[in-house]
Amino acid sequence: MTIDDRFSEQALGGRQQNRPDGVRNEIITGPVSDWATDFSHTEPEWAADPYPIQDDLRRRCPIAHTDRFGGAWLPTRYEDVAAIAYDTERFSSRSIIVGNFRPPREVAPVGGTPPISSDPPFHHDARKLLLPMFTKSVVARQEPATRAFCHSLVDALEGQDVVDAARDYAQHIPVRVISDMLGFPPEDGPRFREFVENALEGVNRPPEERIARMDKLFDYLLEQIRDHVANPRDDLTTYLVNAELYGRKLEPAHVAGTMALLLIAGIDTTWSAIGASLWHLAKTPADRERLVAEPALLPTAMEEFLRAYAPVTMARLVKEDMHWNGVDMKADDWILLSFPAANRDEAQFDRAGEVVIDREVNRHAAFGLGIHRCAGSHLARMELQVALEVWLERNPRFTLDDPAAVTWSTGQVRGPRTLPLRIG
């Protein structure tokens, strides 16, 4: 089969009809009665400020449970989160977004968005394919263009006393970087943001609606893949189209699934980290003033922002019924792996609830733990550092215009969606 044949309409025509059946659960929404027995990461109070909830659970019920989403668990201690993240024998990664649909076990070990949805041993080989594209040296080549783009975004805000630093700055940066790496048209950025919100914030929509929305994403990706097949160039999409695993070209679903992962995870996680960092500096003048005066401290401060405002929570599925650390888990129960909660565990970090921008020892879990630790961490750090450097250089004085007007995303990636800042 030729490269063209893999992605032809005929070869992919049965994609929707041949979609494997999974388990659909009743959609339960509304106020939480008790976070220990009825938690939901999709409710507005969690989005607004999850940290007091997590701290309370860590003290009185460190592994919380809910019947929502068909049954899920929420460990809040670092040691429990780490233990599950490293345990691939008892926990599967075949679906990493908690929702009301569980894909069937047959999708393992590949999953829908390899390698993050993959289990061993396939995971190792799928991840190894990606690593050469995300080394420090490759990422460094992206820095000049990223810096120039950040300056252009600040230029566009000139003359405004109040700007939305989430929508007009943070969100654009990873969109441009990832689209450049994948070789996608930069003008498609608004579509990328729609894809992100559908995938990560729409988990309580009816499964059929969610599937239809995801089909739009994969239709777009296949359109881009076909264009790259016809017009190869030096980018990540052409690399994946030509890549081989076990002596043959990648399956179309593997190529498209990995691109979906890079597009969605690579955008939302980074814009959330940039936005949360700016939010902290806007409400904490002493930290902002110190970083303006001591720019060399920024890399250290950045790691603390990643720890304190870690944007990502991953998920696992329990493989078989078992008793684990005092709770009875059932096969296919969800596990919400809250790296943000782990990062604020006082048993792991001194002054865990404080933001200490000169913290010297900071082995945080913002990029995950275990085999699925973020392969794009070098890229995310570069984007975050450049975004903050440029903003602080161009806007050394800024405050929250209206703290109550700041809004945060719901779901498993948390960051500011609106962030009105007063400049000067």
Side-chain angles (χ1 to χ4, degrees):
M1 180 177 285
T2 67
I3 292 177
D4 294 276
D5 289 339
R6 281 186 295 155
F7 303 105
S8 69
E9 293 284 357
Q10 293 77 15
L12 299 171
R15 177 162 59 99
Q16 296 181 7
Q17 291 79 4
N18 296 330
R19 183 181 286 117
D21 291 331
V23 177
R24 289 165 168 76
N25 300 108
E26 177 189 2
I27 298 173
I28 303 173
T29 59
V32 168
S33 59
D34 181 344
W35 288 95
T37 58
D38 182 43
F39 75 81
S40 174
H41 60 299
T42 64
E43 294 304 308
E45 58 265 49
W46 180 273
D49 190 1
Y51 307 119
I53 298 170
Q54 294 168 358
D55 292 344
D56 176 60
L57 289 176
R58 200 180 297 110
R59 287 189 294 267
R60 68 184 179 95
C61 182
I63 305 178
H65 182 264
T66 186
D67 289 328
R68 304 186 193 211
F69 315 107
W73 300 91
L74 173 64
T76 52
R77 293 181 298 207
Y78 185 100
E79 63 176 346
D80 291 335
V81 172
I84 294 169
Y86 282 98
D87 189 345
T88 59
E89 293 295 320
R90 292 184 287 185
F91 302 95
S92 172
S93 299
R94 76 177 191 270
S95 186
I96 48 88
I97 301 296
V98 170
N100 297 294
F101 172 79
R102 285 167 172 74
R105 294 193 173 200
E106 298 86 77
V107 304
V110 179
T113 52
I116 202 169
S117 62
S118 305
D119 291 330
F122 181 86
H123 165 269
H124 174 271
D125 302 316
R127 178 183 170 90
K128 190 175 178 181
L129 274 180
L130 280 182
L131 293 180
M133 304 302 289
F134 291 93
T135 63
K136 283 187 177 181
S137 59
V138 170
V139 166
R141 297 202 291 267
Q142 301 284 335
E143 183 175 331
T146 303
R147 189 174 299 277
F149 182 62
C150 289
H151 277 289
S152 73
L153 291 172
V154 176
D155 289 341
L157 302 175
E158 193 160 348
Q160 300 180 46
D161 294 332
V162 177
V163 302
D164 188 333
R167 292 185 178 178
D168 298 332
Y169 187 69
Q171 291 187 10
H172 292 280
I173 297 163
V175 167
R176 175 60 66 89
V177 172
I178 292 295
S179 63
D180 284 351
M181 292 185 71
L182 288 167
F184 291 177
E187 61 269 19
D188 287 351
R191 299 178 71 178
F192 304 160
R193 288 189 285 275
E194 180 184 342
F195 293 148
V196 166
E197 289 167 3
N198 287 340
L200 298 174
E201 296 192 51
V203 296
N204 278 327
R205 292 192 182 105
E208 292 73 18
E209 181 183 340
R210 293 206 72 213
I211 290 170
R213 288 170 179 261
M214 291 303 291
D215 281 342
K216 288 184 179 180
L217 164 62
F218 280 91
D219 287 343
Y220 174 84
L221 295 175
L222 289 168
E223 175 187 330
Q224 297 302 318
I225 290 169
R226 292 187 183 110
D227 180 61
H228 279 72
V229 168
N231 305 286
R233 48 262 207 197
D234 184 16
D235 58 31
L236 192 45
T237 299
T238 297
Y239 173 81
L240 289 168
V241 166
N242 293 329
E244 294 189 2
L245 196 59
Y246 312 130
R248 59 182 183 273
K249 302 289 186 183
L250 302 182
E251 293 294 326
H254 186 160
V255 176
T258 298
M259 291 168 64
L261 166 64
L262 296 172
L263 190 67
I264 293 173
I267 288 175
D268 197 16
T269 56
T270 307
W271 94 35
S272 295
I274 296 169
S277 300
L278 291 174
W279 172 77
H280 173 84
L281 292 172
K283 74 182 185 68
T284 318
D287 287 351
R288 172 180 54 78
E289 291 165 4
R290 185 174 178 191
L291 288 181
V292 169
E294 302 176 48
L297 183 60
L298 182 59
T300 300
M302 191 175 75
E303 295 303 318
E304 179 67 347
F305 298 150
L306 287 168
R307 182 197 69 83
Y309 307 115
V312 180
T313 294
M314 280 288 100
R316 300 288 185 269
L317 285 163
V318 177
K319 288 188 177 182
E320 305 293 344
D321 293 0
M322 63 177 172
H323 187 76
W324 193 89
N325 277 21
V327 298
D328 292 314
M329 296 180 172
K330 302 296 183 184
D332 276 358
D333 278 354
W334 294 106
I335 309 287
L336 261 181
L337 274 187
S338 179
F339 300 121
N343 276 348
R344 287 176 175 248
D345 186 348
E346 292 184 351
Q348 186 71 19
F349 298 95
D350 182 47
R351 300 163 66 190
E354 300 177 38
V355 179
V356 184
I357 63 171
D358 57 1
R359 187 183 295 270
E360 294 183 0
V361 178
N362 199 347
R363 295 190 179 91
H364 62 72
F367 291 112
L369 297 164
I371 65 170
H372 290 291
R373 189 182 183 281
C374 178
S377 60
H378 295 314
L379 181 66
R381 281 189 168 102
M382 182 277 288
E383 293 177 73
L384 177 58
Q385 182 164 341
V386 169
L388 295 179
E389 284 176 350
V390 170
W391 185 271
L392 289 167
E393 174 191 336
R394 299 288 300 274
N395 297 307
R397 297 185 64 185
F398 57 95
T399 57
L400 293 176
D401 180 60
D402 178 6
V406 178
T407 62
W408 298 79
S409 54
T410 59
Q412 288 177 229
V413 179
R414 182 178 184 269
R417 283 294 183 260
T418 56
L419 182 56
L421 299 184
R422 181 165 292 277
I423 306 299

